[in-house]
Amino acid sequence: MRSEQQVNTAIEQYADTVLRVCTVYLKNHTDTEDIFQTVFLKYASDSTVFLSPEHEKAWIIRVTINACKDLLKSVFRRRTVPLNDEIELYSHPPEPPGPVTEAVLRLPRKYMEVVYLHYYEGYTIPEIAKLLGKNPNTVYTNLHRAKERLKNVLEEESYGS
């Protein structure tokens, strides 16, 4: 079990990362808050000894991804209907994403996660492969295909304007 100070330090360091990963997967503010709490509760109660800050960050990202996937495949989520999107539950809505971010968010999950981890978090292909439990060649292929899709979507949008 970690001390309150260790947990607070981790929250300060990794809160933005956890929120961004959750937003990429869930696209829902309320679910993102739930997963945020879940991740840091697990961090507080886990006894893993981290070898470096990179190891700690990778652990937090992996736990976040797993928690998001668990929520998405839960029976409860499949049997619920979301509230009307027009209801604003928070006082300051987030900035609207730019065209590139919107295009990334529309990618299939397997492409979106490698783009996010590579370009937004700065992980290398071998590190992403280890994080996601995939072959590095698969990650290279997914990243290449994602870039091709993004290029096509952004070109279409620029010509359509």
Side-chain angles (χ1 to χ4, degrees):
M1 186 133 189
R2 301 188 199 292
S3 71
E4 184 176 342
Q5 183 180 2
Q6 288 174 310
V7 174
N8 288 336
T9 302
I11 290 172
E12 287 175 19
Q13 287 182 315
Y14 305 116
D16 289 341
T17 300
V18 170
L19 290 173
R20 285 192 308 257
V21 170
C22 288
T23 301
V24 165
Y25 273 87
L26 304 173
K27 299 174 184 74
N28 178 311
H29 182 71
T30 306
D31 289 341
T32 295
E33 289 177 345
D34 290 344
I35 296 299
F36 183 89
Q37 289 179 2
T38 301
V39 168
F40 287 106
L41 283 172
K42 183 164 185 161
Y43 177 84
S45 64
D46 192 80
S47 61
T48 302
V49 176
F50 300 110
L51 305 175
S52 66
E54 293 80 21
H55 179 219
E56 183 177 43
K57 183 177 181 181
W59 184 91
I60 286 179
I61 290 173
R62 182 76 257 159
V63 169
T64 304
I65 290 170
N66 288 341
C68 289
K69 286 180 177 181
D70 289 346
L71 178 67
L72 289 171
K73 67 183 178 187
S74 72
V75 172
F76 172 77
R77 183 162 175 101
R78 286 183 291 196
R79 292 186 182 193
T80 58
V81 177
L83 292 173
N84 186 347
D85 290 340
E86 295 172 16
I87 298 174
E88 195 63 49
L89 297 176
Y90 40 91
S91 58
H92 301 290
E95 293 283 326
V100 174
T101 304
E102 284 182 8
V104 169
L105 291 173
R106 289 193 309 253
L107 289 172
R109 181 165 289 122
K110 67 181 180 178
Y111 299 145
M112 182 176 43
E113 65 189 8
V114 295
V115 168
Y116 174 76
L117 290 171
H118 186 66
Y119 291 107
Y120 290 81
E121 292 297 330
Y123 281 99
T124 65
I125 301 301
E127 291 170 332
I128 295 169
K130 189 173 180 183
L131 266 174
L132 300 177
K134 295 183 179 179
N135 185 310
N137 289 332
T138 302
V139 175
Y140 278 113
T141 301
N142 288 347
L143 189 59
H144 176 75
R145 289 178 180 166
K147 289 192 292 188
E148 287 296 317
R149 284 185 179 209
L150 287 171
K151 178 182 168 191
N152 292 337
V153 165
L154 294 171
E155 283 176 352
E156 286 174 14
E157 288 178 1
S158 68
Y159 289 130
S161 298

